[in-house]
Amino acid sequence: MTWTGVADVVAAACILLGALLALIAAIGVVRMPDLLSRMHAATKPQVLGTVLVMAGVGLRLRDLSVVGVLVLIVLLQMATSIVASHMVGRASFRAGQVRHDLLVIDELSSEPAQDEPRGAP
Amino acid sequence: MSPVLHTRRDGTTRPARHRAVQPPAVAGLTLVWLALWGDVTPLLLVGGVLVAVMVCLVFPLPPLHLSFRVRPLALVALVGRFIVDVVRASVEVSSVVLRRRQVSNAVVAVDLESSSDLMMTLVASMLSLVPGSVVVEARRSTHTLFLHVIDVRDEEAVERFRQEALALEQRLLRAFPARATGQEEAS
């Protein structure tokens, strides 16, 4: 097999694995009991999934001009998923939408009242 | 962080623009521009720099003082360990999703050793990218991160997670050691 054939097989494996991770993320959103657990399922396996799909696309196209866009997609996906999951998690915690029965330890709620106003940086 | 403010003669303020154009930001934005076009030609390079300068002028940000050095070997160790962590944790979270079992979670407080905002941001981002933990609250005054961790069964597991998070911070501090204070004042 030539190297292009090998690259095609690797690319197919990467894309399939990435798609599988995205599927697991979707199943997780349906199955998880509360919002914060859903955030884990929805945002995280899918980051690795995106990286794998992009690697697969890059290996299949084998075109230098596409690599820049692919790297950009991965970096922006990482940057935005961090901020999005943090903001949604924080908002739900502050709104009291937390299933305390699912928490083994909660070191944030047991913290003494803070002087900082809520929303302080 | 709020932008540096410039006071007008009538007392009102506006974001200061005179130092908004920072070379690292311009270089980064130009790279993004070239990546989007997928090509490098002199015309694209000039256009990219122009667009980058325009973006910096329209959306001014306070200057970022990068007062640290980079140790290449420690950086490679950091990135390598991070990739291993992401893959391992992705598999773990996937198995939690696929098992039909009640999950038990925890909210863990991690007191960071470093007092720099930049380090705190980096630790928080890396911990967020590793599946299984989300930052729900960050307290800048005490450098404490509150993380929601999935699939934690007992106090022992909580302690293990805390140690892992602190170990990540140590790896970061080794990769980006702070410059000596004398140099920091000079810059």
Side-chain angles (χ1 to χ4, degrees), chain B residues 6 26 28 30 43 46 76 78 81 83-84 105 114 117 120-121 137 144 155 158 172 185-186:
Chain B
H6 180 92
V26 171
T30 307
L43 189 62
V46 172
V76 169
L78 173 78
R81 180 65 194 267
I83 292 170
V84 171
N105 307 325
S114 153
D117 283 346
M120 188 176 174
T121 313
E137 191 75 67
T144 311
E155 295 222 6
V158 168
L172 251 177
E185 279 161 16

Side-chain angles (χ1 to χ4, degrees), chain A residues 83-96:
Chain A
V83 178
S85 64
H86 168 56
M87 289 319 284
V88 174
R90 184 169 88 152
S92 84
F93 215 96
R94 288 185 177 184

Side-chain angles (χ1 to χ4, degrees), chain B residues 74-96:
Chain B
L75 184 62
V76 169
L78 173 78
V79 173
R81 180 65 194 267
F82 176 66
I83 292 170
V84 171
D85 275 351
V86 167
V87 172
R88 203 201 50 206
S90 289
V91 173
E92 271 171 24
V93 171
S94 303
S95 76
V96 168

Side-chain angles (χ1 to χ4, degrees), chain B residues 19-29 52-53 56-57 59-65:
Chain B
R19 281 192 307 171
V21 181
Q22 299 162 48
V26 171
L29 285 168
V53 169
C56 286
L57 286 175
F59 305 104
L61 285 172
L64 191 61
H65 296 295

Side-chain angles (χ1 to χ4, degrees), chain B:
Chain B
M1 263 203 274
S2 52
V4 180
L5 289 180
H6 180 92
T7 311
R8 289 200 192 94
R9 231 171 279 163
D10 56 0
T12 55
T13 53
R14 66 170 174 82
R17 277 172 219 279
H18 54 287
R19 281 192 307 171
V21 181
Q22 299 162 48
V26 171
L29 285 168
T30 307
L31 274 179
V32 170
W33 178 260
L34 292 176
L36 283 172
W37 282 98
D39 202 3
V40 182
T41 64
L43 189 62
L44 279 177
L45 198 65
V46 172
V49 171
L50 280 179
V51 171
V53 169
M54 281 295 293
V55 169
C56 286
L57 286 175
V58 176
F59 305 104
L61 285 172
L64 191 61
H65 296 295
L66 302 175
S67 55
F68 57 77
R69 292 177 294 125
V70 179
R71 281 193 201 138
L73 267 182
L75 184 62
V76 169
L78 173 78
V79 173
R81 180 65 194 267
F82 176 66
I83 292 170
V84 171
D85 275 351
V86 167
V87 172
R88 203 201 50 206
S90 289
V91 173
E92 271 171 24
V93 171
S94 303
S95 76
V96 168
V97 166
L98 293 178
R99 255 179 300 163
R100 285 193 172 275
R101 181 168 67 70
Q102 185 79 340
V103 287
S104 51
N105 307 325
V107 175
V108 184
V110 179
D111 279 311
L112 297 181
E113 192 186 291
S114 153
S115 58
S116 112
D117 283 346
L118 190 65
M119 277 301 148
M120 188 176 174
T121 313
L122 283 175
V123 173
S125 333
M126 291 184 79
L127 283 175
S128 285
L129 275 176
V130 172
S133 47
V134 171
V135 180
V136 281
E137 191 75 67
R139 205 156 289 161
R140 198 173 153 201
S141 55
T142 54
H143 301 99
T144 311
L145 291 176
F146 293 91
L147 294 130
H148 183 268
V149 191
I150 202 172
D151 198 30
V152 175
R153 263 160 250 158
D154 45 17
E155 295 222 6
E156 204 181 306
V158 168
E159 209 47 52
R160 213 178 311 131
F161 175 80
R162 210 195 311 270
Q163 293 311 321
E164 269 174 35
L166 290 174
L168 173 79
E169 193 204 3
Q170 286 307 316
R171 283 199 295 278
L172 251 177
L173 287 175
R174 269 200 296 277
F176 302 110
R179 273 202 197 117
T181 39
Q183 281 173 309
E184 208 176 291
E185 279 161 16
S187 65

Side-chain angles (χ1 to χ4, degrees), chain A residues 13-29:
Chain A
C14 280
I15 292 178
L16 273 176
L17 209 60
L20 183 71
L21 281 170
L23 176 69
I24 290 174
I27 296 173
V29 172

Side-chain angles (χ1 to χ4, degrees), chain A residues 7-73:
Chain A
D8 278 353
V9 173
V10 175
C14 280
I15 292 178
L16 273 176
L17 209 60
L20 183 71
L21 281 170
L23 176 69
I24 290 174
I27 296 173
V29 172
V30 177
R31 256 192 203 173
M32 286 294 158
D34 70 334
L35 187 140
L36 281 166
S37 325
R38 276 194 195 120
M39 291 304 304
H40 292 291
T43 57
K44 301 316 166 52
Q46 177 256 355
V47 168
L48 185 62
T50 314
V51 173
L52 283 172
V53 170
M54 292 311 149
V57 170
L59 280 172
R60 177 69 191 87
L61 292 176
R62 297 191 278 277
D63 186 352
L64 260 185
S65 65
V66 185
V67 173
V69 183
L70 295 179
V71 171
L72 211 57
I73 292 174

